[in-house]
Every structure is written in C-alpha cells, then in structure tokens.
Amino acid sequence: MKLDFYLAHLLLLALIFGCSEPDSSQNDLTVIPVTAYSQMNVSAFFSTISYLPLKNRQGQAYLGEVRKMEVDEHGITFLQGHSSNDASICCFNADGSYKLTLNHFGEGPGEYSTLTDFNRLPNGDFLLLDQNGMRINQYNQEGTWIEKIPLAGLYYRMAFFPDGTSAMYKGNFPSADPNRLVFLDKDHNVVASYFPAEPYSSLFIIASRENFRKIQGSSNYLFNLFLDPVLYEVSPTTVTPKYRVDLGDNWLPGSVLQKLANNPDRKLARKLVLDQEDYVIYFNFFSENEKVVFLSYFLHGHLHWCLYNKSNQSTLNTYARANNIDGSLVGEDAIWPVYLYNDEVVFVLQAPDVVSKLKNIAKATGRTWTELQEHPQNDFERLASQVNEVDNPVLAFAKLN
C-alpha cells in the first residue's frame, strides 16, 4: 500500500475515535521491499533440511488443522482445530514423541468455552486464552491445571512478558476500551492501550491468523494488525513501529479500505477482500531473529515467502512452491504453518502428502514400496518406514543459508 494511503487511513481512524496511537512516523522505519519476485525454489533459502516425524500416542486422533505452532526447549506445541470452539493444545517432546493434549471444554475449573491462543512460559507452563470466558487458564508442563486468571475484556491474542505483564489484542469486539491493543499489569489491569478499533462493520469479520510472534533471543514480540503493512515491536506497555513491508501495488489500496470502513455490508467485504486475489491483506506469518525477518503471505492464490537479511539488507522473495525442495515436498499447503526457531525455519508436512510423494519416488526410480522402506537413499526416503497416511505429520527443520 502506498505510504500516503496508509497515513491517510490512520488519520481517518484517529479522527473518528480520538484514541492513542504509537508514533507512526515512517522515516526511521526499515523498509522490507517485497515487490520483486523470483522464480527460484525456496530451497535457495536453506543449506540443509532434516525431518522429524511426530509419533502418535496409541489411539490418539490424527493431528487436525494446525492454527499455531511453537517450538522451544520444552518441545513442539500446536493449537489445532477448525475454530476456537473445537480447538485444543497438542504437545510433543523434542524427539517427536507424543506428550499431552489439553482439551477441556466447559465452564468449570480448568475448562474453557473457547480457545483462541496459547503461550508457553519459561518454566514450561501453558497459558490458554479463553476469549468468550474472559479468562486465562494456567496448566503446568504436565497438563495439570493451576489457576484461572480472570480478564476484563474479550481478548483474541496474547503476549506474556517475563515480568508478569502482558499485551492483549482484542480486534473489533465491543468493549469499554475502544482500542485494539491493550497492555495489562501484573494484576491484569489495563495500563495502556493503542490502535483505535475499526468501525464495527464489515471489517469485524476479518482477522489475521497471527498478531504476536516472539522475537528470537528477546522477550519482546513482533506485532502486526490486519490491513497494516507495518511490523511493530511490543515490549511491556510500549509499541514501536519497526519495519514497513513495501508490497507496492499488491497492497490493498486506500480507496478499498475507505469503502470497507464506510460500508457495513459484509458482502462487500467478501467481494473486495476475502475473495480478492490481487491484493495482500495480511501476513499469515512473521518472525524475526538477530539475522533475518521472515514473512509469508498469499497473493494471486499462491503462498509466498520473504526472507529479509538484516546485515546486508537483501531480500529473497519467491513463490513458496514446495514441489522440489530437496526432492521431497509436495503442494503449497504442505508448508503452513511456519515457525522460526534459532537459525532454522520449521514447517509442517502433512502425512498424506509425504506418503504420496514417497510412492511417486518409488515409482519413478523403479522400486517397490518395500524396497524404498528397506533401502532409503536420503533422509526423506527414510520417512517411508516411519509415516503412514493416518499418522501425525512430519516437521521439516530447514537451516537458513
């Protein structure tokens, strides 16, 4: 989106709501150019790729739609489910073995009515955000419920800091506080808030999948708002613009934003945004470590990956076609979700896709399935004896160049 469109949009919202905004000056922001696309395969991003099949507990259901993934020293944690009303937490150990599932729908102690987000604390405890229940449930790393933390608002995403404070994103839900980003103190009282809510109209139905992502090696978070090309750094009580992603003409134009802001018709929102392939409207993933900023987004019906090198300010931006990475991946859906862990990009390969690709490899090389299993020629082929079509997916750990 053009800079003047972006500033005009923020000015309009500020005039309507008169609420606090962080300093949105664009002059000091690092610009990540995402206007040039390469036909290179995303394997150009990586030096090596290793694979970790996730192992089912006997009788455990297949891991469903993954809405969020975190990888840390405590293991691999997924928020799974088609919606917040059927979501659960599934956790695996670092070796891929099954650890536990948190699936406690209800209104009693340790239960939740909706599940929209989770955090892992440094000691391994789980924090589960119950939006409709206006509470956070804390469980220890073995899954035992510890306490309920009551909240005063309908919060959709959360980011906890080591000092016990937190940042909460509530979207466009009606509330006494008209702002979308709210900071809470250790007693969970509001101490600061930013970003006035959009008009309670067609924009209500649209939200990004991710709002907070912890910066690797830091206790702060990257934060992004739907329909905003700026990535902000969030620390306790403070939000600071950090990067502006320049998508050129592929960002949703200000004229369309104006129509959405002024027209409460949800059909218009779907026509202009949800079914629109010509524009980028949000980033479905973003993360940062000390060397790179990593982004993914959809445009023209294709998933794209962008890797920004902070040291030399270079950008790799390409269609995230997975057909030929290491001769192993299939389908664009096979590389979502994504997580940046240390110097590796971690992404999910669905088990049926892996099995299908392996069978194609066996056919192309003139081997039987048994021969492929017994005499694998690389790390990917070794999955033939470890994965089946009703098993959990495989994680790929791709080391950045």
Side-chain angles (χ1 to χ4, degrees):
M1 183 173 71
K2 301 293 186 183
L3 177 57
D4 55 341
F5 284 140
Y6 171 68
L7 293 176
H9 181 53
L10 286 182
L11 178 60
L12 172 64
L13 292 175
L15 289 173
I16 292 173
F17 294 97
C19 296
S20 57
E21 284 284 355
D23 180 8
S24 57
S25 170
Q26 305 292 297
N27 296 331
D28 297 330
L29 296 191
T30 298
V31 177
I32 301 177
V34 193
T35 54
Y37 297 93
S38 170
Q39 294 298 322
M40 74 179 77
N41 194 275
V42 292
S43 58
F45 287 45
F46 311 124
S47 57
T48 59
I49 302 180
S50 59
Y51 304 96
L52 178 68
L54 301 181
K55 305 174 183 66
N56 263 340
R57 179 184 66 178
Q58 186 175 5
Q60 176 71 15
Y62 174 80
L63 188 64
E65 179 184 349
V66 177
R67 304 172 65 82
K68 180 179 178 180
M69 172 176 64
E70 285 195 2
V71 183
D72 58 24
E73 65 273 21
H74 303 294
I76 305 124
T77 309
F78 298 96
L79 171 62
Q80 63 165 352
H82 295 294
S83 71
S84 60
N85 295 317
D86 67 356
S88 62
I89 298 296
C90 192
C91 188
F92 294 81
N93 296 306
D95 64 357
S97 60
Y98 172 83
K99 183 173 183 179
L100 61 85
T101 295
L102 296 174
N103 187 10
H104 306 301
F105 276 92
E107 300 296 333
E111 298 177 334
Y112 49 83
S113 56
T114 54
L115 177 55
T116 58
D117 200 5
F118 76 90
N119 282 181
R120 296 293 301 268
L121 295 180
N123 66 358
D125 284 2
F126 299 86
L127 298 177
L128 273 58
L129 178 59
D130 181 356
Q131 180 186 41
N132 289 354
M134 297 173 60
R135 59 187 169 182
I136 296 170
N137 277 321
Q138 182 173 352
Y139 307 82
N140 68 18
Q141 58 183 315
E142 302 304 323
T144 302
W145 180 67
I146 297 175
E147 66 172 335
K148 177 186 77 171
I149 302 171
L151 300 172
L154 291 165
Y155 300 121
Y156 184 60
R157 296 283 190 257
M158 65 180 177
F160 266 74
F161 301 102
D163 64 358
T165 63
S166 60
M168 297 284 173
Y169 173 77
K170 71 177 184 63
N172 291 311
F173 297 101
S175 172
D177 192 313
N179 290 352
R180 288 177 283 170
L181 179 62
V182 176
F183 288 88
L184 307 181
D185 62 17
K186 296 179 182 179
D187 297 319
H188 315 296
N189 299 311
V190 175
V191 293
S193 62
Y194 300 89
F195 299 110
E198 303 283 359
Y200 190 70
S201 62
S202 54
L203 291 182
F204 171 74
I205 66 174
I206 310 165
S208 62
R209 189 180 290 255
E210 298 272 358
N211 292 104
F212 298 103
R213 175 58 64 194
K214 185 170 287 188
I215 299 171
Q216 295 290 309
S218 169
S219 59
N220 293 345
Y221 292 78
L222 275 189
F223 173 76
N224 179 247
L225 290 163
F226 173 72
L227 297 176
D228 188 344
V230 173
L231 298 176
Y232 301 85
E233 182 164 349
V234 174
S235 59
T237 73
T238 304
V239 53
T240 305
K242 189 172 187 180
Y243 301 104
R244 180 171 63 84
V245 184
D246 180 11
L247 286 141
D249 293 335
N250 290 322
W251 188 259
L252 194 67
S255 58
V256 178
L257 285 172
Q258 184 66 54
K259 288 182 181 179
L260 287 170
N262 292 340
N263 194 316
D265 184 1
R266 295 190 176 193
K267 292 182 180 179
L268 175 67
R270 289 190 175 277
K271 183 176 185 300
L272 292 178
V273 179
L274 296 184
D275 298 329
Q276 178 60 263
E277 293 187 348
D278 294 334
Y279 306 121
V280 176
I281 58 176
Y282 66 91
F283 307 113
N284 58 9
F285 178 80
F286 51 90
S287 190
E288 177 184 12
N289 63 20
E290 59 185 24
K291 294 182 179 180
V292 302
V293 178
F294 186 86
L295 300 166
S296 68
Y297 58 91
F298 281 95
L299 179 65
H300 305 308
H302 296 293
L303 184 66
H304 292 70
W305 279 5
C306 174
L307 189 69
Y308 175 74
N309 187 312
K310 294 194 289 186
S311 63
N312 61 20
Q313 300 181 346
S314 64
T315 302
L316 281 175
N317 186 54
T318 186
Y319 303 118
R321 301 186 187 281
N323 306 33
N324 299 310
I325 300 178
D326 200 28
S328 61
L329 311 188
V330 291
E332 294 177 356
D333 290 340
I335 47 182
W336 168 255
V338 186
Y339 192 79
L340 186 62
Y341 180 57
N342 296 328
D343 60 347
E344 294 179 310
V345 176
V346 186
F347 47 93
V348 176
L349 309 181
Q350 298 298 335
D353 291 334
V354 172
V355 172
S356 176
K357 180 67 175 180
L358 287 168
K359 288 181 177 178
N360 288 337
I361 291 174
K363 182 178 180 181
T365 56
R367 289 178 287 173
T368 66
W369 181 250
T370 300
E371 289 173 335
L372 186 73
Q373 291 177 310
E374 293 178 349
H375 304 288
Q377 297 180 1
N378 53 49
D379 287 343
F380 183 74
E381 290 187 5
R382 290 188 182 91
L383 296 174
S385 61
Q386 299 172 302
V387 177
N388 60 64
E389 293 181 0
V390 295
D391 204 353
N392 275 323
V394 173
L395 292 189
F397 289 78
K399 190 175 183 62
L400 291 166
N401 285 323

